[in-house]
């Protein structure tokens, strides 16, 4: 599958964005007509001088050469007007007019689709809560989209593969293997393809990762999805850009609540304040997609088991899904820290609590 070679060339003109290019295509009727239009033709159609100057870049572009370079990398393309182009993505403002892809194009329009995004500096809490929430979602047939970055993105893809799910990775670089970013997730990307998944980029194969590429990538992640789940995010996290894109395109935004003192809490908790759907278990997501299925993992107990001793019940009830430091737990249940420490050991043995590091505990 290969998009129109003239459209591929036009999308590689620096400064010519998808909105402007779409207007030119509508004005001239085809990508070839835009590519071949003379300065006189452009002026006669009322094209602004600034755009005419940008279009001078056509002189350095050979459409046939570009297509051959793409084929040499084993990459395929799809154009905005192709029937297989993702319908959800087509609905957004400024959709990419050309997508580069590897893998299974049958995913382009498969539903339901959930984006799972979050911090690159993943916390121990996120490592624990993501499988608790996503395993059942993935097993229910929900396609998982993420950005193949470090941290939450990478774990979302790993969980998808582990549960034999359907994975789509969206890159902020070109799809040439020599340019892949981040290199540490190259093996993960190749495993996505081996297991029938899909890799997508808006960028030509040899484009390296640049900071300004990632907001563009994030709009594609949101655009491909019916809902975006933010697992954790600081105030400046790129995951919040994805959430903002989702809101702008009338997609559902979901968020996993965090410990208010956590480094990756501020952004996600702000989303919840602003009305994001709170997700604490798989059924919160499955209900949105109208999937009636019991989660694979049992729901977390909210009441203390009756077999616990008084101080064990007190400590257990002071715990939550969000990590709490032992000092905070002691404060909450009004017991000495030494006693709380001993009780927590007993609760761990009973499978009711977990030490996730640095004396932080969560309820199981």
């Amino acid at each position: 599958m290969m998009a129109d070679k003239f459209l591929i060339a036009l999308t590689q003109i620096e400064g010519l964005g998808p909105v402007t290019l779409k207007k030119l295509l509508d004005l001239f009727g085809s990508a070839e007509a835009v590519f071949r239009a003379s300065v006189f033709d452009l002026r006669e159609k009322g094209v602004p001088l600034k755009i005419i100057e940008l279009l001078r870049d056509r002189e350095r572009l050979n459409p046939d050469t570009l297509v051959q370079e793409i084929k040499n990398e084993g990459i395929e393309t799809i154009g905005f007007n192709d029937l297989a182009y993702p319908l959800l993505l087509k609905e957004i403002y400024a959709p990419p007019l050309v997508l580069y892809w590897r893998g299974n194009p049958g995913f382009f329009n498969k539903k339901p689709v959930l984006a799972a995004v979050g911090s690159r500096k993943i916390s121990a809490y996120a490592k624990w809560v993501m499988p608790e929430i996503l395993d059942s979602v993935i097993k229910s047939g929900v396609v998982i989209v993420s950005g193949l970055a470090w941290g939450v993105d990478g774990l979302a893809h790993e969980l998808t593969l582990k549960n034999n799910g359907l994975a789509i990775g969206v890159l902020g670089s070109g799809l040439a293997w020599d340019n892949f970013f981040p290199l540490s997730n190259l093996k993960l990307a190749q495993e996505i393809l081996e297991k029938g998944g899909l890799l997508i980029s808006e960028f030509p194969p040899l484009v390296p990762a640049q900071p300004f590429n990632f907001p563009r990538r994030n709009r594609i992640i949101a655009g491909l999805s019916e809902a975006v789940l933010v697992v954790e995010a600081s105030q400046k996290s790129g995951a919040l850009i994805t959430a903002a894109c989702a809101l702008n395109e009338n997609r559902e935004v979901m968020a996993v609540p965090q410990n208010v003192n956590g480094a990756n809490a501020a952004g996600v908790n702000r989303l919840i304040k602003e009305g994001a759907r709170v997700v604490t278990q798989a059924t919160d997501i499955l209900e949105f997609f109208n999937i009636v299925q019991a989660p694979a993992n049992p729901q977390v107990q909210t009441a203390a088991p009756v077999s616990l001793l008084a101080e064990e019940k007190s400590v257990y009830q002071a715990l939550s899904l969000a990590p709490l430091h032992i000092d905070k737990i002691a404060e909450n249940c009004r017991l000495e820290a030494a006693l709380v420490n001993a009780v927590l050991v007993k609760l761990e043995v009973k499978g009711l609590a977990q030490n996730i590091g640095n004396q932080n505990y969560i309820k199981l």
Side-chain angles (χ1 to χ4, degrees):
M1 187 185 298
M2 191 63 64
D4 182 295
K5 63 183 181 181
F6 295 103
L7 181 59
I8 291 172
L10 289 169
T11 59
Q12 296 194 28
I13 294 175
E14 188 172 350
L16 188 64
V19 174
T20 300
L21 179 52
K22 183 67 167 59
K23 290 178 180 178
L24 289 171
L25 295 173
D26 293 341
L27 192 61
F28 283 87
S30 72
E32 182 176 2
V34 175
F35 191 84
R36 297 190 184 282
S38 66
V39 172
F40 175 80
D41 295 333
L42 294 167
R43 286 177 174 171
E44 192 174 46
K45 291 280 191 179
V47 176
L49 182 60
K50 183 172 78 170
I51 305 304
I52 293 174
E53 288 300 314
L54 290 176
L55 289 170
R56 293 188 187 279
D57 201 28
R58 293 172 296 176
E59 298 171 5
R60 70 169 180 86
L61 298 169
N62 183 316
D64 292 313
T65 301
L66 294 174
V67 168
Q68 190 57 52
E69 289 173 350
I70 294 166
K71 289 180 177 179
N72 290 344
E73 293 290 343
I75 296 167
E76 300 191 66
T77 62
I78 187 170
F80 180 80
N81 289 323
D82 291 334
L83 293 177
Y85 188 95
L87 296 176
L88 283 172
L89 188 59
K90 188 175 280 194
E91 294 174 358
I92 74 169
Y93 178 76
L97 298 185
V98 171
L99 286 175
Y100 299 81
W101 59 275
R102 294 181 186 269
N104 183 359
F107 282 11
F108 278 137
N109 285 297
K110 189 169 180 61
K111 292 183 180 181
V113 190
L114 173 73
V117 298
S119 174
R120 296 185 182 188
K121 297 179 180 179
I122 189 170
S123 68
Y125 173 62
K127 290 179 182 178
W128 171 78
V129 79
M130 286 180 67
E132 291 290 309
I133 291 173
L134 288 179
D135 280 0
S136 295
V137 174
I138 294 163
K139 290 173 182 176
S140 298
V142 177
V143 179
I144 302 296
V145 180
S146 200
L148 262 169
W150 300 297
V152 168
D153 287 21
L155 183 54
H157 292 305
E158 290 171 9
L159 292 171
T160 304
L161 298 178
K162 185 193 78 171
N163 289 289
N164 298 313
L166 309 176
I168 299 178
V170 185
L171 275 68
S173 65
L175 291 178
W177 294 129
D178 289 344
N179 256 23
F180 184 87
F181 181 86
L183 192 58
S184 58
N185 278 348
L186 174 58
K187 185 178 179 181
L188 177 59
Q190 293 172 334
E191 189 177 353
I192 287 174
L193 296 182
E194 289 167 5
K195 295 196 173 181
L198 180 65
L199 301 180
I200 295 175
S201 178
E202 180 180 12
F203 305 103
L206 299 178
V207 171
Q210 300 285 351
F212 47 79
N213 290 357
F214 292 98
R216 291 174 62 180
R217 178 207 61 176
N218 292 349
R219 92 186 193 286
I220 296 175
I221 293 173
L224 288 168
S225 308
E226 296 168 271
V228 172
L229 173 67
V230 182
V231 177
E232 59 181 5
S234 66
Q235 284 285 21
K236 296 182 179 180
S237 173
L240 297 184
I241 297 175
T242 310
C245 292
L247 285 172
N248 289 338
E249 303 302 338
N250 200 29
R251 308 294 161 87
E252 186 78 5
V253 174
M254 304 175 174
V256 178
Q258 298 281 319
N259 181 341
V260 293
N261 296 317
N264 294 327
V268 75
N269 288 340
R270 176 166 65 82
L271 289 176
I272 292 172
K273 281 184 179 180
E274 293 172 354
R277 180 185 292 253
V278 176
V279 171
T280 59
Q281 56 188 14
T283 50
D284 296 326
I285 297 173
L286 296 175
E287 286 172 2
F288 170 76
F289 288 118
N290 294 317
I291 298 174
V292 181
Q293 181 173 330
N297 298 314
Q299 293 188 19
V300 177
Q301 294 173 293
T302 55
V306 293
S307 59
L308 296 181
L309 299 175
E311 64 269 17
E312 291 174 338
K313 285 183 180 180
S314 179
V315 172
Y316 181 81
Q317 289 169 342
L319 294 170
S320 74
L321 286 175
L324 287 176
H325 191 269
I326 189 170
D327 292 339
K328 185 64 176 177
I329 299 168
E331 179 185 330
N332 289 349
C333 58
R334 298 181 181 180
L335 294 174
E336 293 292 328
L339 175 58
V340 170
N341 184 59
V343 170
L344 285 167
V345 171
K346 294 179 182 178
L347 293 177
E348 283 195 275
V349 171
K350 294 179 179 181
L352 298 175
Q354 181 180 346
N355 184 344
I356 62 170
N358 298 321
Q359 293 189 298
N360 288 294
Y361 290 81
I362 54 176
K363 177 185 288 186
L364 296 180

